[in-house]
């Protein structure tokens, strides 16, 4: 990805918050004025360029000499992909590109780096012993599990691990990916993003095993004990930073794919009965008001979408209900802004569809979120990227309204955003669009959109929800 000097870097930093938390391997280059003009701070000079992107990148640099540009770009590419993957940033003065790189640069194209970080035999034995002797283990899986599955092109053993353990499975809070089939009997949903909420969710379990996620990505502040008394936590992560900063538990840094495969093959089948499937909440009826409950929208979309559909979601007040109503079975079927930085949904959906032309992408985006990345519609139209954009328009920042209520604040301005016509906006960018007001119209519009080879936007008026409601 190439950015325009300091101004372009500043514009991108909101998106970088998501990229660094999601372990996205991005090489970001930024323009810079010619070398002998940077110190004079001429127009578009970026004084101290490497400092601007920190701490939202793994590594940030500006080569000290033009001949070092190729090696710096090579370092950036390898470092971005090595575990834990993440974005890196290189500022390049534009007169450097005209300079000779020298013969040594030829070696860079042949280099290869990889991570060989499986579980050592003694560590594997300790983990297996802990799992085999646990009275009631529970698995908490995070986005790096799904990343490993996508890289492998298949499920890497988490289902086998859960079944051999007869253990329930939660998704880690605030997860940007879906690491476990949402219709599997062991699946329990997504953990709440609070200290006390997680402790309540894992009550009754003597062993919590977290794989591929931080411990934990808390959000709303609800203090309490990190874990119930007598509960042990084991943490397997590809990120040394996640391992070091966790407030409790024992952590192991390892390759997620290799670790899960080894564990799933080594643990003994448990004698305990398998967990019963959870009771899914009912789908609210269409009351004829012209505004649909978000759960009704999600259920209708799930019913009408292909079995291998990919959902890019940025309706931040409906995160928990997504896992209730969407059937997410295949790896790489769900993407969410990892750090909550708004503006992710529309452009990410375009990018995912370009990367996965054999699967259809459905973007589920709130009206507040859509405003931060609306120009992605132009890109979709210009390149005929056949994303189905579903805008859930409740006329407010429902997640913010929920926090206002949670904190007991009244009269907060700027939360409501009424009067936005997304159909007109989409048509102005060249995207076919339609507004629906009942379930029948939504199903019809979705079928038409999926039959098209061009992008389509469907605007659905919805009722606000409170994600922090008990």
């Amino acid at each position: 990805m190439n950015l325009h000097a300091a101004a372009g870097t500043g514009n991108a930093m909101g998106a970088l918050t998501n990229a660094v938390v999601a372990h996205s391997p991005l090489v970001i280059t930024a323009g810079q004025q010619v070398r002998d003009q940077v110190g004079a701070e001429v127009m578009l000079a970026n004084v101290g360029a490497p400092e601007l992107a920190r701490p939202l990148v793994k590594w940030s640099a500006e080569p000290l000499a033009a001949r070092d540009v190729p090696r710096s770009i090579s370092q950036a590419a390898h470092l971005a992909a090595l575990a834990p993957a993440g974005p890196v940033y290189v500022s390049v003065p534009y007169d450097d590109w005209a300079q000779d790189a020298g013969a040594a640069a030829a070696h860079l194209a042949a280099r290869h780096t990889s991570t060989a970080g499986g579980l050592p035999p003694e560590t594997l034995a300790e983990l297996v012993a802990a799992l085999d002797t646990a009275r009631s283990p529970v698995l908490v899986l995070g986005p790096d599990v799904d990343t490993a599955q996508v890289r492998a092109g298949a499920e890497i053993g988490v289902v086998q691990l859960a079944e051999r353990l007869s253990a329930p499975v939660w998704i880690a809070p605030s997860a940007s990916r879906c690491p476990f089939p949402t219709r599997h009997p062991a699946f329990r949903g997504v953990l709440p993003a609070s200290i006390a909420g997680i402790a309540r969710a894992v009550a009754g379990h003597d062993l919590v095993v977290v794989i591929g996620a931080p411990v934990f990505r808390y959000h709303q502040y609800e203090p309490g004990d990190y874990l119930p008394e007598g509960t042990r936590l084991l943490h397997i992560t590809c990120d040394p930073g996640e391992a070091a900063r966790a407030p409790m538990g024992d952590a192991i840094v390892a390759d997620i794919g290799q670790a899960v495969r080894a564990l799933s093959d080594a643990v003994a089948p448990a004698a305990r009965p398998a967990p019963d499937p959870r009771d899914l909440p009912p789908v609210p009826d269409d009351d004829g008001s012209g505004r649909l409950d978000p759960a009704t929208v999600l259920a209708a979309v799930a019913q009408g979408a292909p079995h291998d559909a990919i959902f890019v979601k940025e309706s931040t007040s409906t995160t928990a209900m997504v896992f209730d109503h969407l059937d997410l079975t295949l790896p790489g079927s769900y993407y969410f802004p990892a750090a909550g930085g708004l503006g992710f949904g529309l452009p990410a959906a375009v990018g995912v569809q370009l990367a996965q032309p054999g699967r259809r992408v459905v973007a589920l985006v709130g009206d507040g979120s859509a405003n931060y990345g609306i120009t992605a519609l132009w890109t979709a139209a210009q390149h005929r990227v056949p994303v189905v954009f579903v805008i859930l328009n409740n006329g407010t920042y429902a997640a913010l309204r929920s926090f206002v209520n949670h904190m007991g604040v009244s009269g907060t301005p700027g939360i409501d955003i009424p009067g936005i016509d997304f159909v007109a906006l989409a048509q102005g960018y060249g995207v076919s669009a339609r507004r629906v007001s009942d379930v029948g119209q939504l199903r019809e519009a979705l079928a038409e959109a999926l039959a098209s080879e061009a992008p389509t936007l469907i605007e659905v008026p919805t009722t606000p929800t409170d994600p922090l409601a008990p």
Side-chain angles (χ1 to χ4, degrees), residues 301 312 344-351 353 360-365 370 373-381 385-392 422 426 431-434 442 445-446 449 454-460:
V301 170
V312 176
F344 168 90
L346 299 185
V350 174
Q353 185 67 87
R360 291 304 296 271
V361 172
V362 178
L364 301 164
V365 182
I374 197 69
T375 51
L377 296 178
W378 181 87
T379 303
V385 184
V387 177
V388 180
F389 300 100
V390 179
I391 306 297
L392 290 78
F422 285 97
V431 173
S432 175
R434 174 181 173 183
L442 173 58
L446 181 63
T456 306
L457 183 141
I458 304 170
E459 181 180 354
V460 189

Side-chain angles (χ1 to χ4, degrees), residues 325-411:
H325 298 288
L326 295 185
D327 183 356
L328 304 171
T329 299
L330 298 178
S333 293
Y334 175 79
Y335 295 86
F336 181 79
L342 296 185
F344 168 90
L346 299 185
V350 174
V352 172
Q353 185 67 87
L354 288 168
Q356 296 283 355
R359 300 173 66 181
R360 291 304 296 271
V361 172
V362 178
L364 301 164
V365 182
D367 52 335
S369 299
N371 280 296
Y372 283 78
I374 197 69
T375 51
L377 296 178
W378 181 87
T379 303
Q382 291 295 308
H383 296 279
R384 288 184 62 84
V385 184
V387 177
V388 180
F389 300 100
V390 179
I391 306 297
L392 290 78
N393 188 350
N394 59 20
T396 187
Y397 287 103
L400 293 181
R401 181 171 293 282
S402 177
F403 268 97
V404 165
N405 296 334
H406 182 68
M407 294 185 289
V409 180
S410 60

Side-chain angles (χ1 to χ4, degrees), residues 23 40 418:
H23 292 156

Side-chain angles (χ1 to χ4, degrees), residues 79-178:
L79 191 58
L82 287 169
V88 296
Y89 180 87
V90 183
S91 171
V92 183
Y94 79 78
D95 54 332
D96 283 5
W97 298 112
Q99 305 302 313
D100 181 75
H107 296 287
L108 297 171
R111 295 196 66 236
H112 175 74
T113 57
S114 61
T115 300
L119 294 172
E122 62 275 14
T123 302
L124 176 61
E126 291 173 3
L127 286 171
V128 169
L131 287 166
D132 286 346
T133 58
R135 171 183 51 80
S136 178
V138 59
L139 298 178
V140 178
L141 306 179
D144 288 325
V145 171
D146 188 58
T147 300
Q149 292 178 144
V150 171
R151 289 174 179 164
E155 186 267 313
I156 57 173
V158 287
V159 171
Q160 176 180 310
L161 180 61
E163 291 175 349
R164 289 173 74 92
L165 293 173
S166 292
V169 177
W170 288 92
I171 292 179
S174 307
S176 57
R177 310 280 284 264
C178 181

